[in-house]
Amino acid sequence: MVYTASTHNSYCTAWGLPTYTLTRICFVAYTKRMESVFEIIAEPNRRAILSLLVSSQQSVGEIERELGMTQPTVSKHLRVLREGGFVESTVDAQRRLYRLKPESLQELEAWLAPFRRFWSAHVDALERHLDRMGHTKEDQSTPTKRKTTGKRRGPNRERHKGETK
């Protein structure tokens, strides 16, 4: 059977959009979304902010102090993270608290899953190989060193009682 683009239709899991089984090509919208996700998290300060928000919600001032950034810089990065769907904010009296939105990271996790399986299989194979090497070395008996009873020669040898140079 010859497969063409219209032979078998399924849906892109990320957006519920049609894709073709043979090529697994999703619409451009999904591709653009993944590019923007990576563009957002590629910036080290944004990753640092996300790392802070993993443990608890934080105010702009707390993030400033923790990361040593200025208020405008923190606000700029928080705006990008909020627009990208990575964080959300709530108002508490006169301050705004930011917290992580785990849903946005689930999409990234889903994209990374095949790569994680790939590396996991390779690391497992390496571990098995190293285990086999370890057993092989344990199985081989190493000859024990024989204690020599002969006298050492040279200027640094020990002298016996009564012996002179």
Side-chain angles (χ1 to χ4, degrees):
M1 177 176 183
V2 176
Y3 281 93
T4 63
S6 62
T7 302
H8 185 69
N9 239 356
S10 65
Y11 283 90
C12 177
T13 57
W15 292 92
L17 300 173
T19 182
Y20 300 102
T21 303
L22 181 63
T23 58
R24 303 308 250 182
I25 296 174
C26 290
F27 279 118
V28 174
Y30 176 73
T31 306
K32 294 270 186 215
R33 169 77 178 128
M34 287 311 293
E35 285 175 7
S36 66
V37 166
F38 286 113
E39 288 171 356
I40 291 169
I41 64 171
E43 211 288 322
N45 291 319
R46 292 186 202 129
R47 288 195 311 270
I49 291 170
L50 290 173
S51 295
L52 274 180
L53 298 177
V54 164
S55 59
S56 66
Q57 62 183 6
Q58 308 265 329
S59 69
V60 174
E62 291 167 329
I63 296 170
E64 278 178 62
R65 285 187 294 281
E66 191 72 31
L67 299 178
M69 288 192 263
T70 64
Q71 187 274 328
T73 302
V74 171
S75 294
K76 178 187 79 165
H77 289 304
L78 284 169
R79 181 182 50 78
V80 172
L81 289 169
R82 190 177 61 246
E83 289 173 359
F86 286 94
V87 299
E88 60 187 359
S89 65
T90 56
V91 177
D92 179 38
Q94 293 184 352
R95 63 186 193 152
R96 189 173 292 271
L97 296 174
Y98 288 86
R99 69 174 166 258
L100 191 65
K101 282 182 66 178
E103 306 86 41
S104 61
L105 298 174
Q106 288 172 344
E107 183 179 350
L108 187 59
E109 168 65 25
W111 187 86
L112 286 170
F115 299 99
R116 188 171 288 113
R117 283 191 301 273
F118 170 80
W119 282 111
S120 179
H122 283 76
V123 170
D124 290 346
L126 175 62
E127 184 177 17
R128 286 190 302 275
H129 175 72
L130 293 173
D131 285 345
R132 282 192 305 269
M133 285 180 60
H135 291 301
T136 304
K137 286 184 178 180
E138 289 172 8
D139 294 343
Q140 296 173 351
S141 58
T142 56
T144 57
K145 290 185 178 180
R146 291 187 305 176
K147 195 169 191 174
T148 56
T149 56
K151 292 183 182 179
R152 290 176 55 190
R153 299 180 191 262
N156 295 328
R157 68 180 176 87
E158 290 183 26
R159 305 220 185 272
H160 296 287
K161 285 186 181 179
E163 186 178 3
T164 60
K165 272 188 163 178

